[in-house]
Amino acid sequence: MQYQTITRSAVAAAATVLGAAAAVAEDKPALDKAAIDKAFESLKTFDWGVDNNKFRALLGPIEDALPATHGDAAARKELETKLAAVLSTGASRAAKDYVGRKLAIIGTAESVSALAALLPDKDLSHMARYALERIPAPEAAKALRDSLAKTSGTQKAGVIGSLGVRRAAESIADLAALVGDSDESIAVAAATALGDIGSVESAKALQDAKPASDPVKLRVADAQLTAGECLLTAGDKAGALAVYKSLIASPEKSVRLAATRGLLLASGKKE
Amino acid sequence: MKQRANRRDFLKAAVATAAACPYLIPGSALGAGDRPAPSARIVMGGIGIGNQGSGDQGAFLGRGDVQYVAVCDVNTQHRNAARDRANGRYHNNDCKTYNDFRELLARTDIDAVHIATPDHWHALVVIDACRHGKDVYCQKPETKTLREGPLMVAAARRYSRVVSGGSQRVLEDYRRQVNPCWSGELGPIKSINVSFGPLAQSCYLGSEAIPQGMDWDMWLGPAPWAPFHPYRCSGSYNINGTCWRSFSDYSGGGLTDWGAHHFGGAIFAIDCREFEPEVVEYHNEKGREYVGFRYPNGIFLYHNHPGMKHLQIVGTPGEKRAPKPVPSYKGNGGIHGDFIECVKTREKPFRDIELATHSISVAHLGAIAYQLKRSLKWDGVKNEFPGDEEANRLVDRARREPWTL
């Protein structure tokens, strides 16, 4: 079976990626497929109410399989398929919580649809994002973006936050429209996400935003400052200067001072 | 310090117009005795006032140059006890209580806050405090993930805030290692080892009734939802599965909790506080795991090296190394006094947030190497594992809605 294909040569190949400077002895045992299958059986009835020893006894083989399958695409895929399958069963919230954590590390595009189905679920939305936010595949970003129309309230704010962490530039138009949302948590999340994306376009969207309340206004200004710093880091001094100039007359003293600092940095002055 | 003229003018006017009852205003309120006038005191509040927070509160309450006016905790019992300590100190009823830190941070009369929430809250509260113009003393370990450190530093710098980390041991407990390194006595340093544990563990403890006065949803905050269990939120220092410090959702276990001290002290000794390792070597010798962090200058920091004692340093005594003066606290009163002095002078504190996050990053890097059971390359400037998609997933974790950094 694929699980047993992990060999010392695969480990050695993975170590080679790090180069000679980091080459160290890594002696990984072959996977125990029977133990892994048993752990997946345990996962069907797994729930909160176990201490760490019991947790390890029940799910330890899955825990151990994650590092052991590094560099073995087939074994990883088999593991991922089994994990994702749990999400559409009647397994407990704790079991699906556990799966979300593991798919955050090994999930691929293959798991995205099973995870995306949970995004509107108030109990499971976070653990779905726990994986989707960290899965690099563009399908994960698309699933998050598509779920904006299917979520509301705090779940929607969470999805927006994940798009920001992913710096999902293709979501700028969606996010810009949400900065003026009457739900403060959504508006704040949208502003923060646009700041995190940190492009000229997202900065412009923030500048044009019409925040509904003072707390959101403060967060929009903060997000603009974040965007300015992103542009500066990327070497776009002109873009950063435009952001800071737009804030220099802010009614908030702290924002004016921060914008002045930004102007100086964008002009080449060191702190 | 804010509203300086208004408060002082008010007090002076009160004295001038109320000469018939001079005893109503104590001399200390105008700056007599050993206390500065109220207008010259740092107005402070505390967020997270349980076990460690109460200790920090005591340190700040004991200072004449601090006026302590607000406490925030999601546990009513902790909150009220902290309020009573403050009111007892000043013999008044001025200290206000908050369940939600955002309400405390919105107060414009507060200059600075100290934060001793569980670790999973640190970055959110520190960054929001900076947005609201507060200087911050934040307990160690300052970060929960690698992504949080640069964001906290950026917020501090953006708003020109003084943000100090909170490990008093780094300067105070490692002089036997720091002094011979900085004096040049040991010559150029090759390596140092620190030995401690444990790693954080998963937590699937069962559900118990939420005690009255505990806002459990707010305690969890950005961490994954989980049922209440007293071990999850116990502020005990026993990292054995009976307190939040044990569990990976809220802490990095011993690796970050003790790591803030031991890694922090070791990095201070070898003078590597200003940068981060570039390689983490994972070793497994017959089931005994340890890691070695290689810094850009070639120095190794080991964790649990089987051939080295705790805090053992390998130098080259025969070779010369120019001595350097050892940095220290400013002001009086240890690390808390260092923070207060820097609030006044706007200097960077001894454990400036940038240095603090560098040292906690070592613990996070080690935890990831132990978790993945392999060696890693790290770019501390870009805050990423170059070309390592799997490890980069562990740089951060999704926060529970609606919390975003």
Side-chain angles (χ1 to χ4, degrees):
Chain A
M1 294 299 293
Q2 287 100 326
Y3 285 129
Q4 290 167 327
T5 60
I6 288 292
T7 62
R8 291 180 186 223
S9 61
V11 172
T16 304
V17 173
L18 288 170
V24 291
E26 297 182 19
D27 190 11
K28 296 183 183 179
L31 290 170
D32 183 344
K33 184 179 182 307
I36 292 170
D37 287 344
K38 189 179 173 191
F40 271 104
E41 275 303 303
S42 298
L43 196 54
K44 290 178 181 173
T45 55
F46 179 75
D47 209 344
W48 278 293
V50 295
D51 64 17
N52 194 49
N53 290 334
K54 181 76 172 171
F55 167 77
R56 286 287 314 171
L58 291 170
L59 304 183
I62 302 176
E63 294 286 292
D64 297 340
L66 262 68
T69 53
H70 176 70
D72 185 333
R76 273 284 167 92
K77 185 170 184 184
E78 186 173 346
L79 198 57
E80 179 186 7
T81 302
K82 287 190 173 186
L83 285 164
V86 175
L87 297 175
S88 58
T89 69
S92 70
R93 181 177 181 177
K96 292 177 181 176
D97 168 292
Y98 177 79
V99 168
R101 294 168 191 270
K102 301 305 122 181
L103 290 178
I105 303 171
I106 67 161
T108 67
E110 187 192 325
S111 301
V112 167
S113 62
L115 291 161
L118 305 178
L119 286 171
D121 186 316
K122 70 177 178 59
D123 287 344
L124 299 170
S125 187
H126 175 227
M127 294 317 288
R129 286 192 302 106
Y130 205 93
L132 288 169
E133 188 175 299
R134 309 311 303 170
I135 294 174
E139 288 85 350
K142 183 175 185 308
L144 287 163
R145 195 167 70 253
D146 290 348
S147 77
L148 289 174
K150 303 170 192 166
T151 51
S152 60
T154 53
Q155 282 73 49
K156 190 168 189 167
V159 169
I160 293 166
S162 290
L163 287 167
V165 171
R166 292 184 64 102
R167 302 188 73 181
E170 63 279 9
S171 306
I172 289 174
D174 299 317
L175 298 172
L178 293 170
V179 180
D181 200 284
S182 59
D183 183 327
E184 204 166 281
S185 68
I186 289 175
V188 164
T192 306
L194 287 167
D196 288 341
I197 292 170
S199 66
V200 170
E201 294 76 19
S202 71
K204 179 73 167 58
L206 285 163
Q207 195 177 332
D208 294 342
K210 304 271 187 293
S213 68
D214 285 344
V216 179
K217 284 177 189 170
L218 183 65
R219 293 300 292 264
V220 168
D222 184 66
Q224 286 179 269
L225 292 163
T226 301
E229 289 157 13
C230 290
L231 291 167
L232 209 50
T233 302
D236 184 354
K237 289 187 178 179
L241 278 170
V243 170
Y244 293 130
K245 282 178 181 172
S246 74
L247 292 169
I248 206 70
S250 166
E252 286 289 333
K253 184 183 173 187
S254 62
V255 174
R256 289 198 304 275
L257 289 171
T260 303
R261 170 184 171 272
L263 280 173
L264 291 169
L265 290 173
S267 304
K269 183 173 168 49
K270 291 185 178 176
E271 282 188 290
Chain B
M1 294 244 287
K2 286 168 191 158
Q3 299 177 336
R4 177 174 299 180
N6 289 344
R7 294 175 63 191
R8 190 155 214 172
D9 291 349
F10 169 79
L11 288 166
K12 283 182 176 173
V15 171
T17 57
C21 47
Y23 301 112
L24 289 179
I25 299 173
S28 63
L30 293 172
D34 60 353
R35 291 204 77 192
S39 58
R41 297 175 200 161
I42 311 298
V43 180
M44 284 195 74
I47 298 170
I49 313 282
N51 225 5
Q52 190 64 37
S54 63
D56 289 335
Q57 184 197 27
F60 290 119
L61 275 177
R63 299 187 62 88
D65 50 1
V66 165
Q67 189 74 22
Y68 200 98
V69 299
V71 292
C72 172
D73 200 289
V74 298
N75 183 323
T76 309
Q77 200 177 341
H78 292 168
R79 191 163 69 226
N80 289 345
R83 174 202 59 198
D84 293 346
R85 285 193 294 272
N87 287 343
R89 161 75 169 91
Y90 301 126
H91 307 292
N92 63 24
N93 292 306
D94 291 349
C95 186
K96 299 289 183 278
T97 59
Y98 301 89
N99 182 70
D100 188 328
F101 69 94
R102 292 169 294 189
E103 293 175 26
L104 186 152
L105 293 179
R107 279 181 60 167
T108 56
D109 62 324
I110 292 177
D111 302 308
V113 292
H114 70 91
I115 297 168
T117 60
D119 308 347
H120 66 285
W121 266 114
H122 285 171
L124 271 159
V125 184
V126 166
I127 291 171
D128 210 33
C130 291
R131 281 190 197 109
H132 285 84
K134 316 301 183 204
D135 295 323
V136 183
Y137 177 89
C138 179
Q139 258 302 330
K140 62 83 195 170
E142 291 79 359
T143 61
K144 175 68 188 74
T145 72
L146 286 163
R147 177 172 174 255
E148 291 175 346
L151 297 179
M152 293 161 81
V153 174
R157 303 294 184 254
R158 184 182 306 157
Y159 294 108
S160 303
R161 294 296 98 203
V162 173
V163 181
S164 172
S167 170
Q168 78 288 354
R169 290 176 185 263
V170 168
L171 181 65
E172 297 165 25
D173 285 11
Y174 305 96
R175 292 184 193 279
R176 281 198 300 177
Q177 289 73 38
V178 170
N179 290 343
C181 288
W182 284 67
S183 70
E185 178 186 333
L186 295 179
I189 304 301
K190 290 183 174 177
S191 64
I192 185 168
N193 175 64
V194 286
S195 300
F196 61 95
L199 300 175
Q201 56 182 261
S202 300
C203 182
Y204 284 96
L205 292 167
S207 176
E208 294 196 11
I210 300 172
Q212 196 172 11
M214 162 65 89
D215 184 343
W216 182 238
D217 189 70
M218 197 66 172
W219 189 92
L220 289 170
W225 184 86
F228 174 85
H229 189 286
Y231 288 173
R232 280 187 186 276
C233 57
S234 165
S236 151
Y237 299 104
N238 298 319
I239 310 176
N240 58 2
T242 59
C243 72
W244 61 257
R245 290 179 172 83
S246 316
F247 304 124
S248 57
D249 278 348
Y250 323 117
S251 169
L255 205 62
T256 57
D257 207 58
W258 273 109
H261 299 314
H262 292 325
F263 283 137
I267 294 165
F268 182 35
I270 63 177
D271 196 13
C272 287
R273 291 197 303 164
E274 295 185 3
F275 35 83
E276 296 185 2
E278 58 185 12
V279 169
V280 188
E281 290 187 358
Y282 169 81
H283 301 263
N284 186 338
E285 293 183 0
K286 298 176 182 173
R288 183 162 184 177
E289 297 176 293
Y290 70 100
V291 294
F293 305 91
R294 194 187 72 197
Y295 279 85
N297 56 9
I299 298 177
F300 269 91
L301 164 62
Y302 288 106
H303 175 248
N304 287 352
H305 192 297
M308 295 176 76
K309 293 177 183 171
H310 179 50
L311 291 171
Q312 182 180 340
I313 301 170
V314 177
T316 44
E319 296 181 31
K320 283 189 176 177
R321 182 182 181 222
K324 290 174 70 175
V326 180
S328 190
Y329 297 142
K330 302 169 187 77
N332 299 309
I335 195 167
H336 300 93
D338 179 65
F339 169 68
I340 292 298
E341 182 68 12
C342 291
V343 169
K344 295 173 186 173
T345 63
R346 313 313 295 169
E347 292 174 274
K348 285 182 182 169
F350 175 79
R351 192 170 168 86
D352 173 65
I353 187 64
E354 189 166 4
L355 304 181
T357 58
H358 286 331
S359 71
I360 300 301
S361 289
V362 172
H364 295 318
L365 292 171
I368 293 170
Y370 283 123
Q371 182 179 352
L372 298 180
K373 299 192 181 300
R374 61 186 175 86
S375 301
L376 305 163
K377 282 184 176 176
W378 175 244
D379 184 332
V381 177
K382 292 182 177 174
N383 212 49
E384 66 180 28
F385 298 96
D388 192 335
E389 180 244 277
E390 183 184 56
N392 279 323
R393 296 183 186 213
L394 298 170
V395 166
D396 197 27
R397 59 174 189 168
R399 281 156 193 80
R400 192 168 67 107
E401 54 273 4
W403 301 103
T404 56
L405 285 176

